[in-house]
């Protein structure tokens, strides 16, 4: 299990480039199952979650090669064998293979995706979507088996907003016959990007990014080239780094318009920043004042930025509150931060209070999940002294070469295996 060793407490400087969106790239690789032609995908981060979905498809005959941040994908020879359950089990995001597999092969059997560090992660919304589309679903203790000789084109109502359930429904409906209307759909930018990707392949999708997506199925899709949008969660994470280390960093190659709620909170607490077409520059982070934050579905404050924002609030004067409305186990990082000197109170599974500002001191801490782990790195760089963070490989799921990129800003961070 690799560790990060950090010596913090110093100001950083320079520019950090944001890479492609993990939660867009993964779904486009899954969507390539629908396209028996050559697909070129640019700006794909080299991270383990992306590699995992590549491994699942290549182990069943897909041809996928990487040249830097460009993937060349050809699923022409993908067999209808069920995806390797050992690989699927390792990553909940594999769930987005259900829609494409049902549309192409009419069947898929996957292990029950377990819960994870941030919550129980049920899949009832996904099951409900596919039942509405006419799939037969059988369940054993360990597996779900989906079968559908053809999927019904109709109005699909999501009983609760779900990003991947929206994406599964979208990918299941683009090839075939008839019209499908997905109601109460999630509006994340990654869903808009997936729809743009599929429309370039010949799909007919309108309304992505709204609560109602209309799809007119087509007979087949053809090869395309697409560039993945910037990762808004990476961008927000690096903005938080600049604030907690009081560093005038420029976060480049990002899409500030995907961070409206996050930057509104920055303005509320007094962070001075400049934003342009594809960059955010943090100017001043002194004299921050406490505020109350609430995560929500897009365009609300992203739950994946709740931990970095929580760390920022530890440096704000006064009592802040956090209301994590999306997941039920996403406040654990505050206990790790308390080890470093933070004054916080976890009220229940969804709410916490933070009393700031507090000085952080280096400690040996855990990274609990991908985003909490990234937040621990930020905390280590803000803290006086040495910090050791275990489970470094969790951060590699979503942040490519994170220590190398931070070293370029002057950060003292090393990885030990
Ligand atoms: C996606 O997960 C992202 N993952 C998550 O990012 C992100 O935190 C989440 O959306 C919310 O924005 C990927 O895109 C691969 P949901 P997803 O279904 O789709 C409940 C990261 O760090 N729910 O929108 O799984 C669920 O428990 C990851 O990059 C059900 O109850 O999230 C949660 O409380 C973490 N039943 C809420 O809905 C279901 O069938 C929203 O979950 C599905 C979800």
């Amino acid at each position: 299990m690799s560790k990060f060793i950090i010596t913090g407490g110093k100001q950083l400087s320079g520019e950090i480039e944001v890479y492609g969106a993990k939660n867009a790239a993964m779904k486009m690789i899954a969507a390539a199952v629908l396209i028996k032609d050559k697909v070129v995908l640019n700006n794909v981060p080299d991270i383990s979650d992306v590699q995992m979905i590549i491994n699942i498809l290549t182990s069943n005959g897909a041809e996928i090669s990487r040249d830097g941040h460009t993937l060349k994908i050809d699923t022409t020879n993908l067999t209808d064998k069920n995806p390797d359950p050992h690989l699927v089990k390792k990553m909940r995001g594999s769930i987005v293979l259900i829609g494409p597999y049902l549309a192409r092969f009419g069947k898929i059997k996957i292990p029950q995706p377990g819960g994870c560090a941030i919550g129980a992660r049920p899949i009832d919304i996904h099951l409900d979507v596919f039942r509405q589309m006419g799939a037969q679903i059988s369940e054993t203790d360990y597996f779900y088996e989906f079968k559908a000789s053809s999927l019904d084109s109709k109005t699909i109502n999501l009983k609760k907003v779900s990003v991947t359930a929206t994406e599964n429904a979208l990918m299941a409906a683009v090839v075939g016959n008839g019209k499908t209307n997905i109601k109460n759909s999630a509006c994340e930018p990654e869903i808009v990007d997936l729809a743009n990707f599929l429309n370039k392949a010949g799909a007919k999708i309108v309304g992505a990014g709204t609560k109602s997506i209309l799809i007119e199925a087509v007979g087949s899709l053809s090869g395309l080239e697409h560039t993945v949008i910037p990762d808004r969660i990476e961008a927000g994470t690096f903005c938080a780094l600049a604030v907690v280390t009081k560093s005038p960093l420029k976060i480049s190659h990002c899409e500030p318009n995907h961070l409206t709620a996050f930057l509104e909170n920055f303005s509320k607490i007094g962070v001075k920043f400049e934003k342009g077409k594809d960059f955010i520059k943090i100017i001043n982070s002194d004299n921050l004042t406490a505020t109350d934050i609430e995560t929500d579905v897009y365009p609300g404050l992203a739950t994946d930025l709740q931990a970095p924002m929580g760390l920022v609030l530890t440096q704000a004067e006064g009592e802040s509150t956090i209301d994590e409305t999306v997941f039920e186990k996403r406040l654990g990082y505050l206990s790790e931060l308390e080890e470093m000197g933070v004054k916080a109170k976890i009220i229940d599974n969804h709410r916490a209070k933070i009393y700031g500002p507090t000085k952080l001191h280096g400690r040996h801490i855990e990274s609990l999940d991908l985003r909490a782990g990234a937040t621990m790195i930020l905390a280590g760089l803000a803290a006086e002294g040495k910090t050791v963070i275990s489970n470094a490989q969790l951060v590699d799921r979503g942040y490519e070469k994170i220590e190398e990129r931070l070293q370029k800003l002057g950060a003292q961070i090393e990885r030990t295996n």
Side-chain angles (χ1 to χ4, degrees):
M1 306 283 248
S2 59
K3 290 182 169 60
F4 289 117
I5 315 289
I6 297 169
T7 304
K10 58 185 289 211
Q11 190 178 58
L12 309 176
S13 63
E15 178 175 329
I16 185 163
E17 183 183 323
V18 171
Y19 289 169
K22 163 176 97 79
N23 291 343
M26 285 170 63
K27 289 49 172 284
M28 291 168 192
I29 296 165
V33 167
L34 299 164
I35 305 168
K36 297 174 194 168
D37 200 345
K38 298 198 183 321
V39 173
V40 176
L41 209 44
N42 302 310
N43 203 28
V44 178
D46 189 358
I47 52 179
S48 51
D49 271 15
V50 166
Q51 192 53 48
M52 183 64 79
I53 206 153
I54 290 172
N55 294 346
I56 289 170
L57 294 179
T58 50
S59 62
N60 279 7
E63 290 151 48
I64 304 177
S65 61
R66 176 184 281 275
D67 175 10
H69 283 160
T70 293
L71 291 185
K72 289 200 170 112
I73 306 170
D74 188 338
T75 66
T76 308
N77 300 320
L78 180 68
T79 68
D80 66 354
K81 203 160 64 94
N82 287 315
D84 181 337
H86 301 294
L87 297 179
V88 169
K89 190 78 183 158
K90 285 182 181 167
M91 186 181 66
R92 176 192 159 86
S94 320
I95 196 167
V96 296
L97 289 167
I98 303 172
Y101 264 69
L102 272 184
R104 177 164 172 176
F105 300 120
K107 65 181 182 68
I108 182 171
K109 181 179 174 185
I110 62 163
Q112 296 211 8
C116 69
I118 64 176
R121 309 298 294 275
I123 68 163
D124 55 317
I125 303 173
H126 295 257
L127 300 178
D128 184 58
V129 159
F130 289 116
R131 284 196 182 99
Q132 289 185 55
M133 298 181 90
Q136 294 80 44
I137 305 172
S138 54
E139 185 179 341
T140 66
D141 290 350
Y142 302 103
F143 285 91
Y144 284 110
E145 190 151 15
F146 301 78
K147 285 187 179 149
S149 48
S150 71
L151 290 166
D152 303 340
S153 301
K154 55 191 290 193
T155 295
I156 310 287
N157 289 291
L158 268 68
K159 58 184 184 176
K160 181 180 174 195
V161 173
S162 160
V163 172
T164 44
T166 300
E167 292 162 334
N168 250 332
L170 181 62
M171 291 189 281
V174 285
V175 174
N177 301 297
K179 287 184 179 170
T180 299
N181 184 193
I182 305 171
K183 309 289 278 181
N184 198 27
S185 38
C187 303
E188 271 65 6
E190 292 77 23
I191 294 172
V192 176
D193 204 27
L194 175 62
N196 291 339
F197 168 87
L198 288 166
N199 282 340
K200 276 186 192 171
K204 292 180 181 167
I205 306 165
V206 292
T210 73
K211 306 293 283 178
S212 172
I213 302 175
L214 194 58
I215 302 120
E216 185 178 342
V218 294
S220 65
L221 297 175
S222 45
L224 74 148
E225 179 162 359
H226 184 78
T227 298
V228 178
I229 56 171
D231 192 311
R232 60 195 167 101
I233 308 304
E234 256 210 353
T237 305
F238 296 147
C239 287
L241 169 68
V243 171
V244 298
T245 58
K246 296 194 181 304
S247 305
L249 300 181
K250 181 176 182 182
I251 293 89
S252 61
H253 288 252
C254 69
E255 176 48 84
N257 294 332
H258 291 163
L259 287 156
T260 304
F262 180 77
L263 292 174
E264 277 169 0
N265 279 296
F266 264 28
S267 299
K268 260 166 62 177
I269 63 175
V271 176
K272 303 287 180 286
F273 61 89
E274 180 196 341
K275 66 178 182 167
K277 184 174 171 305
D278 65 350
F279 73 86
I280 298 165
K281 185 161 175 25
I282 304 298
I283 311 287
N284 182 285
S285 309
D286 296 328
N287 309 315
L288 303 181
T289 50
T291 190
D292 299 338
I293 65 168
E294 178 182 305
T295 62
D296 200 350
V297 297
Y298 194 86
L301 176 63
T303 172
D304 295 344
L305 287 173
Q306 183 259 112
M309 196 71 216
L311 176 63
V312 165
L313 293 175
T314 68
Q315 302 309 304
E317 174 73 37
E319 178 182 306
S320 297
T321 60
I322 294 176
D323 191 355
E324 168 54 67
T325 69
V326 178
F327 288 107
E328 71 275 18
K329 274 173 63 185
R330 215 165 191 180
L331 297 169
Y333 71 97
L334 288 171
S335 307
E336 298 298 310
L337 290 180
E338 283 181 296
E339 297 281 311
M340 300 177 79
V342 161
K343 290 180 183 52
K345 183 173 184 307
I346 296 180
I347 299 163
D348 58 29
N349 283 350
H350 292 278
R351 291 176 304 150
K353 286 193 179 300
I354 293 174
Y355 309 94
T358 47
K359 214 152 175 38
L360 301 179
H361 308 285
R363 286 290 183 280
H364 286 229
I365 44 181
E366 295 272 324
S367 45
L368 303 168
D369 72 81
L370 159 59
R371 306 304 177 181
T375 301
M376 291 304 124
I377 291 177
L378 273 51
L381 290 170
E384 286 302 326
K386 181 178 166 186
T387 297
V388 177
I389 301 171
S390 60
N391 297 337
Q393 67 287 351
L394 276 181
V395 180
D396 297 331
R397 288 187 47 206
Y399 299 86
E400 179 183 337
K401 299 191 181 72
I402 188 67
E403 73 270 29
E404 290 171 37
R405 295 159 75 190
L406 295 176
Q407 285 162 359
K408 288 196 182 113
L409 301 174
Q412 277 187 262
I413 176 172
E414 300 298 330
R415 183 192 294 254
T416 65
N417 291 315

